Structures are given as structure tokens and as C-alpha cells.
Amino acid sequence: MKFKNPSTPFPSVGYFGPEYFCDRKVETETLIKNIEGGLSTTLVAIRRIGKTGLIKHVQYLLHDKYICIYADILPTETGIDFLNTLASAILNSVPEKTGLGQKIWSFIKSLRPVITFDKLSGEPNVSFNIQPKETTHQIENLFEFLEQQDRRVIFAVDEFQQILDYPEKSMEAWLRTTIQQLQNVIFIYSGSQPHLMNEMFANPSNPFFRSTVLLPLEKINFESYQAYIIQKFKDSKKEIESQVAAEMLDWTTGHTYFVQLLCNRVFIGSKRVVTTEVWQNEALKLLKEQEIIFLGYRDNLTREQWKLLKAIAQAGKAYSITSKSFIREYALGSSATIIRSVNSLEKKSFIYMQYDAEGNRFYSVYDVLFQRWIQNL
């Protein structure tokens, strides 16, 4: 499995091999042990923390022993969309010219779908022209095919909580019943809405309860990320002091996507030495570029929602948001109004709720750039 080199040492999207993958040693070992033990795993974390990168990294390490399949179902809206995405993922899992690849192509074609090719990537896309009631039968055919393979299968389904929005309300229960019969397929379920994923896999009343090992994904260790940043600049003959790298990590709150984005821009915009002034200039450019979007966000919120969002952004981590002290500090309304605003902001993915190491609940703004923009108002 070969990778193209990224344009900078700090790609913000995609997986480019172990050389550009930072830390996650414990999570990698845990996932591999689960897979080798035949256990499916549920990865839970906020968006763009690195779930997909971790999945791709583990599949890269194991691709010689397993058939590795990855499907992102976020764009799907129905059971037929789900079927099409799974079939496309299976078709793209192994090069067509290999023996297994030819076997997969022959099988998929036998199901009589429409196969087209993406104009940009050249990858095949599978589309079934069937009645909704036939969807489950075709999904069963896909799983049965994988079950019959000589090599075990690692099937990663990203943004798995999306199935909750399908009009087929029985999909979750049916899928669980079907999957639990498989012995040759190990699943990695990944989701970026922790409250929904926890509800699906930790609530005794739901079909997927206790069906997997839960693996919450936290931010990358500060010191490890700091050392990684310094080394990547050094490998390209650029200098960055540990304090400057620490400043960049603090500004991005250690959120993987935003760390990579800022480092990418700093790498491109810097000469031989990276200083505080250099990274701050690039950070300001990022905020300026996004300003029109952020103004749109603001205009689509009610006055109460905007005031609460500003308060959470200013706090960074907002604890006890309905407490008298928090309300007084940020001149907010009643606790009932705050609760309504919180629910709306969470639903729109402006904020997320998480627990700290001591088990205390807090709220933060999802988009770090949006948070920093608010703080600069």
C-alpha cells in the first residue's frame, strides 16, 4: 500500500501513512488487540479529532492479514443510500487486478447494480435501483459474501449515528440482529456525536447495547504533539522553539484538525525560523478568511443563543452554565432560557458537551476558529 507525499508535513485531511501520523500509540494498540480478539469497537469523539485517521492507520498496519473496508455513511439518508455506500466501500477495498479484487467485482456485478466512476478520483460507485423493501436482502448478500472469505474482515463504518435518521425506523434493530450472526467480520463503529453514540451503545434499551468495546478518543497528548511539530519542521530544515509550538497548540486547544491546519499554513508562510509573530499572523489570516461564514452563523441565532455561545466561547470550557455565578458573570437570562439555548446550539453542532478527567461536565465551542473569532470581538 503506497501513499503520495502530502504537500506539507501537516496534512489536514486524509491519511498519508505512519510517517505523518502522530502518537495514538495506546489507542492503536487497543484497537489492534480488540480486532485480534474478535471484538468490535466503537470509537466516540467530537468531529475532526482524528477518528478516521486512527481507523486508516490501524487498517494500514493490518492490511496484509485482513480485508480492510472503510465506509463513511454521513452523506446517507436512507437504507438504500446505506446499501450503496457499503457496496461501494467493498468494491474499493481491494485493487481490481488482484485475485480477491476480481472476486469482489464479480460478486458485486452479480447483484446487478449500476456502477459509475467518480470523475475526480476515478473510484467506482455502486447504485442499486431497487424497492426499499429489497434493501435488507441486498445488505445481507454483502455480509454473507464477506463472511465466506478466507481472510477476516475489518469493516469500519464512520458516522454510524447517521442510521438513526433513516426513515426505516427498524434499521438499527435489524442491523444489530444481522451483524451479531457474523463471525468473520469485525466492525469498527465511529461517530462524532458522543451523546447519540453513547445512547446507541450504552443504553440497555437499544439494540447495540454492549455489542462492542467502547473507546473514547481524546485529544493527542500535548507533549507528544509538541515534539511531533518540532520534528516535522526540523525535517524540512525549519526551526521552531518548543515554546512557539506550545503556543500554537494552546491556541488550537490541541484539536487535531485545527493544529494541522495552523501548522500547514505556518509551514507554507514561514521561511527558516518560525516565531510567535509568524504563527499569529497566519492565525489572524485564518480568522479573517472565515469571518463571512461566522457572521452568517451569528445572524442565524437568536439573541439568547448568541449570548450563551459568546459566554461559552469566552470561558473556553464552560462549567455549571445554569449556576447563578455563570449567569451573573455573562449577563445571561434565566436557567430555563439557557437550557433551551443549549439544546438548540448542540443540535446545530455549535457546541458540544464533554466530561473532564475528574468527571465534571463542561461545554465548549465545536469550531476552534469560531471560538477564537468570538473571543476577538
Side-chain angles (χ1 to χ4, degrees), residues 37-243:
L39 300 174
S40 292
T41 304
T42 298
L43 281 177
V44 181
I46 59 175
R47 286 195 186 102
R48 295 185 165 183
I49 264 309
K51 298 184 298 299
T52 302
L54 175 60
I55 291 170
K56 295 290 184 70
H57 182 61
V58 168
Q59 290 188 329
Y60 169 79
L61 296 177
L62 298 177
H63 77 276
D64 286 336
K65 295 193 299 181
Y66 295 82
I67 299 171
C68 297
I69 305 170
Y70 171 83
D72 180 0
I73 67 168
L74 183 62
T76 65
E77 297 179 353
T78 66
I80 292 179
D81 290 343
F82 181 72
L83 165 64
N84 292 340
T85 300
L86 295 189
S88 298
I90 293 171
L91 202 60
N92 284 290
S93 63
V94 180
E96 182 183 359
K97 294 181 180 180
T98 64
L100 178 58
Q102 292 175 4
K103 186 177 181 182
I104 290 174
W105 270 83
S106 296
F107 167 72
I108 295 294
K109 286 181 178 179
S110 73
L111 301 180
R112 300 184 182 279
V114 175
I115 300 178
T116 58
F117 292 86
D118 187 276
K119 292 181 179 179
L120 295 178
S121 67
E123 293 183 346
N125 292 315
V126 179
S127 178
F128 287 87
N129 185 18
I130 58 176
Q131 296 297 318
K133 62 183 180 181
E134 301 176 59
T135 302
T136 54
H137 175 64
Q138 292 290 36
I139 294 175
E140 286 174 347
N141 285 335
L142 295 178
F143 287 150
E144 183 179 348
F145 172 77
L146 297 177
E147 188 72 2
Q148 295 171 352
Q149 300 312 303
D150 295 333
R151 289 158 62 189
R152 299 195 79 176
V153 178
I154 305 171
F155 205 137
V157 186
D158 211 348
E159 301 297 352
F160 188 64
Q161 77 281 336
Q162 189 66 21
I163 68 170
L164 299 176
D165 290 334
Y166 292 172
E168 302 92 346
K169 298 305 178 186
S170 62
M171 176 62 78
E172 185 181 2
W174 173 84
L175 196 57
R176 170 60 184 138
T177 301
T178 303
I179 286 174
Q180 70 180 356
Q181 301 175 41
L182 303 177
Q183 298 180 349
N184 197 49
V185 185
I186 301 163
F187 286 87
I188 301 174
Y189 304 103
S190 174
S192 61
Q193 297 187 43
H195 63 293
L196 293 180
M197 293 294 288
N198 288 333
E199 181 73 13
M200 291 178 74
F201 290 92
N203 188 326
S205 65
N206 287 327
F208 278 90
F209 172 68
R210 299 296 187 209
S211 62
T212 69
V213 178
L214 287 174
L215 180 58
L217 198 62
E218 305 294 339
K219 294 176 181 178
I220 294 173
N221 175 269
F222 188 96
E223 288 75 20
S224 297
Y225 219 158
Q226 182 183 33
Y228 175 86
I229 292 169
I230 294 170
Q231 187 61 50
K232 285 301 176 187
F233 274 104
K234 182 179 180 181
D235 291 345
S236 298
K237 311 300 182 185
K238 295 194 177 190
E239 296 179 16
I240 180 171
E241 293 185 359
S242 60
Q243 178 58 36

Side-chain angles (χ1 to χ4, degrees), residues 163-367:
I163 68 170
L164 299 176
D165 290 334
Y166 292 172
E168 302 92 346
K169 298 305 178 186
S170 62
M171 176 62 78
E172 185 181 2
W174 173 84
L175 196 57
R176 170 60 184 138
T177 301
T178 303
I179 286 174
Q180 70 180 356
Q181 301 175 41
L182 303 177
Q183 298 180 349
N184 197 49
V185 185
I186 301 163
F187 286 87
I188 301 174
Y189 304 103
S190 174
S192 61
Q193 297 187 43
H195 63 293
L196 293 180
M197 293 294 288
N198 288 333
E199 181 73 13
M200 291 178 74
F201 290 92
N203 188 326
S205 65
N206 287 327
F208 278 90
F209 172 68
R210 299 296 187 209
S211 62
T212 69
V213 178
L214 287 174
L215 180 58
L217 198 62
E218 305 294 339
K219 294 176 181 178
I220 294 173
N221 175 269
F222 188 96
E223 288 75 20
S224 297
Y225 219 158
Q226 182 183 33
Y228 175 86
I229 292 169
I230 294 170
Q231 187 61 50
K232 285 301 176 187
F233 274 104
K234 182 179 180 181
D235 291 345
S236 298
K237 311 300 182 185
K238 295 194 177 190
E239 296 179 16
I240 180 171
E241 293 185 359
S242 60
Q243 178 58 36
V244 176
E247 291 168 359
M248 293 168 65
L249 282 168
D250 284 335
W251 192 81
T252 55
T253 72
H255 192 297
T256 307
Y257 170 76
F258 297 102
V259 173
Q260 294 294 118
L261 178 62
L262 180 59
C263 286
N264 188 306
R265 293 289 293 266
V266 169
F267 183 87
I268 295 171
S270 63
K271 294 182 180 179
R272 195 178 68 84
V273 179
V274 178
T275 63
T276 297
E277 182 181 6
V278 168
W279 81 256
Q280 288 182 344
N281 284 338
E282 292 300 328
L284 288 174
K285 288 178 185 177
L286 283 171
L287 297 186
K288 190 65 178 177
E289 292 166 4
Q290 299 292 311
E291 188 167 46
I292 188 66
I293 297 174
F294 297 154
L295 288 170
Y297 290 164
R298 185 193 64 182
D299 292 344
N300 285 318
L301 296 175
T302 66
R303 181 174 178 273
E304 291 76 16
Q305 291 166 2
W306 175 243
K307 286 185 67 176
L308 179 59
L309 184 60
K310 284 175 62 179
I312 293 173
Q314 294 294 341
K317 292 182 178 180
Y319 294 86
S320 304
I321 60 174
T322 58
S323 65
K324 291 182 179 179
S325 59
F326 188 83
I327 291 173
R328 184 169 56 251
E329 181 177 357
Y330 295 102
L332 302 174
S334 66
S335 58
T337 300
I338 291 174
I339 291 172
R340 285 196 298 270
S341 296
V342 163
N343 291 336
S344 180
L345 291 172
E346 273 193 298
K347 188 175 182 180
K348 295 175 181 177
S349 295
F350 282 113
I351 62 172
Y352 66 93
M353 185 274 288
Q354 205 165 26
Y355 292 91
D356 63 18
E358 288 72 42
N360 299 310
R361 186 171 65 174
F362 67 87
Y363 291 89
S364 287
V365 177
Y366 231 125
D367 187 329

